Amino acid sequence: MPEAKQTIPDECPDLGLLVTKAVVTDTLDPYGRPITSDNEFSVSGRAIYLVFSLSDDMCCRTLNVRWFSEGKPDPIQIDDNIHSQFPVTLSLKANGNGYVPGVYTVKIYIDFWEKISIPFSVHI
């Protein structure tokens, strides 16, 4: 009987990787899970978190998050090459005076492809 030849696939198994859950919140439980999900936050808030999960583990893709303000083309904060257990929890850092009021968007990218975009606002 001929010996079976073992081959290594040329394709990355992450091709179908999806963002399955993603929420923006300002309250987390002690385990880092979102207590509430909202799209409006106060300028005096202590933190704004993005919590998300993927459909599978990653092995050969790059996961990046970009935070944008008022539709400006350049991110106000970048979280690059995220390698972590899922779900992932990231936070938007406020300046010393708190958050600037306005409309924000957080986008999750796998490699160079935008997988999800979540708008939210900060108000007085």
Side-chain angles (χ1 to χ4, degrees), residues 6-79:
Q6 193 173 26
T7 59
I8 299 172
D10 290 336
E11 293 184 7
C12 172
D14 295 343
L15 289 177
L17 197 63
L18 300 171
V19 178
T20 56
K21 295 179 185 175
V23 297
V24 179
T25 185
D26 61 354
T27 53
L28 299 173
D29 72 10
Y31 302 101
R33 296 178 300 211
I35 295 173
T36 62
S37 173
D38 203 355
N39 289 22
E40 293 188 16
F41 304 98
S42 170
V43 294
S44 62
R46 291 184 291 155
I48 297 174
Y49 301 100
L50 168 66
V51 181
F52 66 96
S53 295
L54 299 178
S55 59
D56 204 353
D57 291 332
M58 288 190 334
C59 70
C60 56
R61 296 285 182 218
T62 303
L63 181 63
N64 303 299
V65 173
R66 304 285 189 264
W67 303 78
F68 297 89
S69 175
E70 296 290 344
K72 294 178 183 165
D74 295 322
I76 56 172
Q77 182 175 310
I78 298 172
D79 298 296

